[in-house]
Amino acid sequence: MTKIPLSTYILLGINLSVFGLLALQQGTVMFDSDADAMAILRVGANFNPFTLGTQPWRILTSMFLHYGIIHLAVNMYALYTLGMLLEPAMGTTRFLLLYFFCGIAAGLASLLFLVYIPSAGASGALFGLFGYQLSAEIIGNFHDRKRLMTVFLNFVVFVVINAFIATKVNVDIAGHIGGFLGGLLLGIFHFKFRW
């Protein structure tokens, strides 16, 4: 297994590059206008009529788009933290499979519950990584209260910051729950049933 979290760095780089290009195009890093929201929709946000119509690729591209610098910063910090922890332990291939599985689970939940609301961001995949880590820690270290508290604390901080962001923009709660449940279930199958 790799010790260098290569795919974490690559995912960070793609997210930052996409955001930088869109910020240059829009002339802002806040993305707080209707024109900014339309630009994000145009370049690949997950939107039921488009994604289920003729543009299924949006379920992936939406994972690399963010509604402003705060949204991006919170998600990239979570990606960096989780990637540094999980990728060296799992290996690059498994980490990427987990990340994209959770992101797709989040996107599918959005399509199901947010029919006419576009969604974007890496947070669905990140909630999935938290779900996976949480199940791993609960199953593997149930008696190590200190380690469990660290995992819970990190997760609570992430949820609280996302709740704060929810007051500024429309947050895809369905996507967060879908990603989290996807990661949690994969963790249970992996650590409990050795699947």
Side-chain angles (χ1 to χ4, degrees), residues 156-168:
V156 167
V157 167
F158 185 64
V159 169
V160 166
I161 292 172
N162 269 278
F164 170 75
I165 292 172
T167 65
K168 308 296 180 192

Side-chain angles (χ1 to χ4, degrees), residues 44-77:
N46 192 17
F47 184 54
N48 185 301
F50 296 171
T51 306
L52 296 181
T54 59
Q55 302 169 4
W57 45 266
R58 287 176 174 270
I59 207 159
L60 291 175
T61 56
S62 63
M63 295 169 59
F64 297 97
L65 297 166
H66 291 85
Y67 289 105
I69 192 74
I70 296 171
H71 187 204
L72 176 76
V74 169
N75 281 349
M76 294 307 95
Y77 175 75

Side-chain angles (χ1 to χ4, degrees), residues 104-117:
I104 290 169
L108 291 174
S110 295
L111 292 175
L112 185 61
F113 293 103
L114 303 175
V115 178
Y116 296 111
I117 301 173

Side-chain angles (χ1 to χ4, degrees), residues 32-53:
D32 52 3
S33 73
D34 290 341
D36 298 326
M38 287 305 295
I40 292 170
L41 176 61
R42 188 176 59 251
V43 298
N46 192 17
F47 184 54
N48 185 301
F50 296 171
T51 306
L52 296 181

Side-chain angles (χ1 to χ4, degrees), residues 102 124 127-128 130-132 134 155 175-185:
C102 294
F127 268 88
F130 269 117
Y132 180 86
L134 198 59
F155 181 65
H176 291 176
I177 293 171
F180 180 78
L181 290 177
L184 192 69
L185 289 173

